[in-house]
Amino acid sequence: MTARSIPRPHHRHHVKAAAADPYDRGVARGEQLRDAVPAAIDAYDRLFALGPITPARVREDAERGLDAIGRFRPGARAEIEGIAHGSGAEPWRIGALNARTEILARSAAVPPGECTTIVRRAACDGRSAPRTFGVQTWDWHIELSALWHTLEVRGGRHNFVGLTEDGILGKIGVNSAGLALHFNILGHVRDSIGGIPVHVLAAIVLEEAGSVAEAVEIVRSAPLASSGSFALFDETDAVLLDLSPVGVFSMQPEQGMLVRTNHFLMPGPAADEKTWLHQPDSGERYDFVRARLARTEPPATPDDLAGCLVTRDGEPPVTCLPDLDKPLGQRWASLATVTLEPSTRTARILDGTPADMGSRDWRTLTAG
């Protein structure tokens, strides 16, 4: 099987929304996704049902998530309601998409793996300032391969660009202040509904934070009931934040590198990790990437960094290819590869796996 066997749309949506009012931004986003949102809702309904999570439970969870968002950031809830209006969907339906991670935490289905992230902070050589850049794969169910888009959001405190799923406020990106965010999912036994959905929090950080320090402050102020990991970096600073219902835990770069897969790296939350979700896959990918970085010259460019995520048969599936013979819920793939560079406020999105570099074009977006 090759990366070209991953089904992809002929034309990938690019959504632009520019308005000072969050509801108006949401309406603009929803109108551009009017034909796509029903398919996203249907895809997640099928994934929820595998859980099995009943439709009534999904709606209850979605409404609780919306209430939590409204208490923390009323503007974010207004933007979600705007997406619902623009796309013709009920607000709780868009709420369920934005809380899909938290709702799926109830699921009895077992996913085999997830994303891999590397951030490099290149030290100052005496002639130039430090340079920080990052890359990640976004690995998810093949059924969602046509249901994500690139985006430009303008009108909040900071503009931001990047990638997200249809109907979801945010995921991966960089903003006009030079704050970048890569996103990985984690699993803790206390994950539940009732806090800020991690995808919504990512969008809030990209809209509001002007630096790593501001981003950390926002994350630590958020009521959390679920888990995830944000690799946060600006032109001169980088930190890895592991989010969980038992707290937020930070890690600094080691030898100028942050490496992230899908298991907790700090002992506190790791004690109650859902190890059955992502292990041994996550640990194998983590060790493989760290070993590769240790034996090679430090990557000098985002493309060099992305090359570190290319894997082949017999290696841990950092480049993730689906087994199309498997059933719904077990067909995972690297749906996109994303590089972020704070100094140029640039996100580059490859509609493909890292192995597709050179055969597929990057879409380059600038938040400035």
Side-chain angles (χ1 to χ4, degrees):
M1 173 152 318
T2 68
R4 292 181 180 82
S5 66
I6 298 174
R8 302 186 187 277
H10 177 70
H11 173 73
R12 177 69 60 189
H13 276 118
H14 179 63
V15 171
K16 297 181 179 181
D21 181 81
Y23 181 81
D24 292 343
R25 285 201 303 271
V27 171
R29 292 172 70 165
E31 287 175 343
Q32 294 170 74
L33 295 168
R34 194 174 186 89
D35 294 336
V37 163
I41 291 170
D42 177 69
Y44 275 108
D45 279 351
R46 289 184 287 131
L47 290 172
F48 295 150
L50 286 178
I53 307 167
T54 67
R57 172 64 77 180
V58 170
R59 180 166 187 164
E60 179 183 339
D61 286 351
E63 290 175 342
R64 287 183 63 194
L66 287 172
D67 288 343
I69 296 164
R71 288 190 296 269
F72 184 64
R73 288 295 192 276
R77 176 167 186 164
E79 192 163 354
I80 290 171
E81 291 173 345
I83 292 173
H85 179 84
S87 64
E90 293 180 81
W92 75 266
R93 284 293 198 174
I94 305 302
L97 294 179
N98 280 271
R100 58 87 158 163
T101 299
E102 290 70 25
I103 297 171
L104 286 171
R106 297 184 182 278
S107 178
V110 180
E114 259 266 9
C115 314
T116 306
T117 295
I118 312 172
V119 175
R120 178 168 189 233
R121 186 177 185 273
C124 174
D125 62 5
R127 297 186 300 274
S128 60
R131 183 181 179 215
T132 309
F133 49 93
V135 65
Q136 80 165 94
T137 56
W138 174 46
D139 301 348
W140 197 227
H141 300 281
I142 197 70
E143 289 78 13
L144 276 295
S145 64
L147 301 175
W148 62 269
H149 60 275
T150 59
L151 79 163
E152 300 176 45
V153 179
R154 304 180 186 276
R157 182 186 179 202
H158 301 296
N159 305 325
F160 66 92
V161 297
L163 170 157
T164 193
E165 296 175 60
D166 295 348
I168 295 180
L169 285 189
K171 186 188 294 289
I172 304 159
V174 63
N175 71 19
S176 53
L179 186 279
L181 185 155
H182 284 298
F183 184 108
N184 291 60
I185 290 298
L186 305 173
H188 192 276
V189 295
R190 290 177 57 181
D191 286 341
S192 64
I193 293 289
I196 300 302
V198 287
H199 282 84
V200 176
L201 184 56
I204 290 168
V205 167
L206 286 170
E207 180 179 339
E208 296 184 8
S211 65
V212 167
E214 289 184 9
V216 171
E217 183 177 356
I218 291 168
V219 172
R220 291 194 179 279
S221 72
L224 295 171
S226 56
S227 302
S229 183
F230 294 170
L232 299 164
F233 52 109
D234 54 30
E235 292 185 56
T236 60
D237 197 9
V239 68
L240 191 67
L241 288 189
D242 282 2
L243 291 56
S244 80
V246 296
V248 176
F249 303 82
S250 64
M251 177 176 288
Q252 300 298 316
E254 295 181 1
Q255 299 181 328
M257 294 285 189
L258 292 172
V259 177
R260 193 74 197 84
T261 51
N262 302 101
H263 61 284
F264 286 103
L265 298 176
M266 284 146 274
D272 289 310
E273 183 172 27
K274 292 180 177 178
T275 54
W276 59 90
L277 281 180
H278 301 297
Q279 296 288 25
D281 174 84
S282 179
E284 291 170 350
R285 285 183 287 120
Y286 181 78
D287 291 343
F288 177 86
V289 171
R290 282 171 56 88
R292 173 177 277 178
L293 290 168
R295 66 175 180 264
T296 60
E297 288 295 315
T301 68
D303 277 1
D304 292 341
L305 202 63
C308 295
L309 300 182
V310 177
T311 54
R312 297 176 174 81
D313 291 345
E315 296 175 330
V318 177
T319 298
C320 184
L321 300 178
D323 183 346
L324 298 180
D325 292 330
K326 289 188 175 181
L328 174 71
Q330 298 181 34
R331 301 190 295 179
W332 286 60
S334 295
L335 300 186
T337 307
V338 185
T339 71
L340 303 175
E341 189 160 13
S343 63
T344 58
R345 279 61 170 162
T346 298
R348 296 189 310 146
I349 295 96
L350 183 70
D351 195 344
T353 77
D356 286 322
M357 289 191 300
S359 64
R360 301 180 69 89
D361 293 332
W362 294 91
R363 177 173 288 178
T364 301
L365 306 173
T366 302

